[in-house]
Amino acid sequence: MNKKISVLYMGTPDFAVPGLEMLAQRQDVEVIGAVTQPDKQKGRGYQLLPPPVKIAAEKMHIPVYQPATLKDEAFLALLERLQPELIVVAAYGKILPPSVLHFPKYGCMNIHASLLPKYRGAAPIHWCLKKKKKK
């Protein structure tokens, strides 16, 4: 039997959920955790709501981590404890510092909604569609 690769998944919105689900279904991958943005107050009543990735990860019994920052010793200590061989990122919402990017044995992989670098930024799908519409 081949060894499974340990993957730490980082994502926040609905767009990031299918990537997490796909990885969790793979036989050659062990998703050792999901890192997502902290819960935020939303709506008229300013209810504290969890990000979609947190909801999905909890349904799949994947540990969830919601650090306020990736630049402190606490997050690096978490990486040391988990020892991910690969980090997969999908719309996490913050730029990963070099200490995180260079930590895993196989590096970090970014799942993106558009062709990079042409349509990057806050609304890559919108910009891509807007550009195509003009043609």
Side-chain angles (χ1 to χ4, degrees), residues 18-19 29 32-33 35-36 40 43-44 51 54 57 65 80 116 125 129:
V29 169
I32 57 174
V35 178
T36 189
K40 297 229 167 88
R44 295 183 114 194
K54 178 180 181 178
Y65 306 97
E80 285 289 341
L116 290 172
I125 298 171
L129 294 174

Side-chain angles (χ1 to χ4, degrees), residues 44-94:
R44 295 183 114 194
Y46 293 104
Q47 285 184 297
L48 196 60
L49 297 175
V53 165
K54 178 180 181 178
I55 295 167
E58 288 177 342
K59 284 181 183 175
M60 294 181 276
H61 306 288
I62 295 170
V64 175
Y65 306 97
Q66 295 180 280
T69 180
L70 303 178
K71 297 179 180 178
D72 66 7
E73 293 298 319
F75 189 71
L76 291 177
L78 175 67
L79 290 178
E80 285 289 341
R81 186 169 59 80
L82 295 176
Q83 287 295 309
E85 294 174 290
L86 176 68
I87 294 176
V88 176
V89 183
Y92 175 66
K94 292 189 179 184

